Amino acid sequence: MGIVAVKIKLMPASPDTNLKKIEEQAKKDIEALGGKNPSFTQEPIAFGLKAIIPFFAWPEEKAIEPLEQKLAKIKDVNSVQVIDMRRAFG
């Protein structure tokens, strides 16, 4: 099987949320469930609120839903949404 490149949008509960703590926990969760090389960007939404966008490699044969559920349980994460998932080449 192959590898897929995944981007997920993590929305924090408020603009005052500590985004670094969310990133640290998300990295642990992604790697624990089989994701590789997670990197993070932040996307401005509105009124000072920023979404966290993890980008990582994921085994194609594994379902992504268990990871989504685990990420949704991170303290101060309001919502989780897969925004891009495509087969990686190379």
Side-chain angles (χ1 to χ4, degrees), residues 49-70:
L49 186 66
K50 294 179 183 176
I52 299 170
I53 312 292
F55 178 69
F56 55 94
W58 186 257
E60 185 176 25
E61 66 275 4
K62 289 184 78 172
I64 196 79
E65 288 82 9
L67 176 61
E68 288 179 271
Q69 293 168 359
K70 191 159 181 110

